[in-house]
Amino acid sequence: MIGLNRRNRDLVARENPPKMIALANDKVACKKALQEHKIRTPDMIAAVRSSGEVKDLFRLLEEQEHGFVIKPSQGSQGRAVMLFSKAAEGLIYPLHGLPKNKKELQFIIASIISGEYTAGRPVDCALIEERLRPSTSWVMPELPGAPDLRVIVYRGNPVLAMVRLPTIESAGRANLHRGAVGVGIDLQTCTTTFGIWKDS
């Protein structure tokens, strides 16, 4: 059994150059690197680095037919990741919760840029990207958000796999720290095994 601390110390930190870890921890830079290798990622609507850019942002959000996601580029554990279904008539509509006005949108962006959600980093960037609509061909329908399928590869070999399922409590996010359900996957049969929700 390898816990998170041992994984990070003995596997991630030891087996990966610091430059690559830094790249993986920056969602905007990582997205650009993946696209250069023709690996598809959700479309980036905007990367907001200053409060002055917010005034032109609402028009872009109104054009997003299927909604959008706002998140810190260098955040972790789902902090400040927010899913929205649409923007219209001066309001943005979260997937779960009450609509927010333009001033509240400005506050959200300003909090992210100021580094409120990035450990050890005084400045960040607010990444806004398309909201994915999950296929129901491989996972249960009517989830309150997009599931997250992860395969961990060690020296070119897949060694672990899991799917993280969003819940109402996690506000449609697939982050275990926010109340999503983590389910193990058997790599040989590709079937689910056991699940965990919080400490259960």
Side-chain angles (χ1 to χ4, degrees), residues 165 167 169-170 176 178-183 195-200:
L165 305 173
T167 63
E169 181 170 335
S170 72
L176 301 184
R178 303 295 159 198
V181 175
V183 184
I196 185 169
W197 180 69
K198 295 186 175 180
D199 295 324
S200 303

Side-chain angles (χ1 to χ4, degrees), residues 134-153:
S135 166
T136 56
S137 63
W138 65 279
V139 74
M140 64 185 73
E142 298 180 10
L143 285 172
D148 183 346
L149 177 64
R150 294 191 170 199
V151 179
I152 296 177
V153 178

Side-chain angles (χ1 to χ4, degrees), residues 1-12 152 160:
M1 178 70 70
I2 297 177
L4 286 177
N5 290 336
R6 186 180 171 195
R7 181 200 70 175
N8 292 339
R9 183 190 67 227
D10 296 343
L11 298 178
V12 176
I152 296 177
L160 294 168

Side-chain angles (χ1 to χ4, degrees), residues 51-197:
S51 298
E53 299 174 47
V54 176
K55 62 181 180 181
D56 299 322
L57 185 60
F58 202 85
R59 177 183 52 79
L60 288 174
L61 300 182
E62 287 181 314
E63 296 172 358
Q64 306 311 310
E65 184 179 349
H66 302 295
F68 52 93
V69 179
I70 300 176
K71 62 179 72 170
S73 179
Q74 300 181 77
S76 63
Q77 300 180 353
R79 288 177 295 184
V81 175
M82 288 163 273
L83 286 69
F84 295 90
S85 60
K86 66 176 181 178
E89 299 178 354
L91 296 173
I92 53 175
Y93 292 82
L95 224 53
H96 306 282
L98 298 173
K100 300 181 184 302
N101 59 36
K102 289 184 179 181
K103 284 191 176 181
E104 290 172 306
L105 171 63
Q106 288 177 325
F107 180 77
I108 290 168
I109 300 294
S111 298
I112 291 173
I113 292 171
S114 68
E116 186 173 332
Y117 308 102
T118 52
R121 300 182 179 91
V123 177
D124 200 356
C125 164
L127 169 61
I128 302 167
E129 59 186 7
E130 68 170 320
R131 182 171 70 88
L132 297 178
R133 292 170 297 151
S135 166
T136 56
S137 63
W138 65 279
V139 74
M140 64 185 73
E142 298 180 10
L143 285 172
D148 183 346
L149 177 64
R150 294 191 170 199
V151 179
I152 296 177
V153 178
Y154 181 68
R155 295 189 175 184
N157 299 305
V159 292
L160 294 168
M162 71 181 298
V163 61
R164 304 188 311 175
L165 305 173
T167 63
I168 294 294
E169 181 170 335
S170 72
R173 298 170 294 183
N175 300 95
L176 301 184
H177 293 83
R178 303 295 159 198
V181 175
V183 184
I185 296 176
D186 185 305
L187 284 170
Q188 291 184 318
T189 64
C190 293
T191 56
T192 53
T193 55
F194 300 96
I196 185 169
W197 180 69

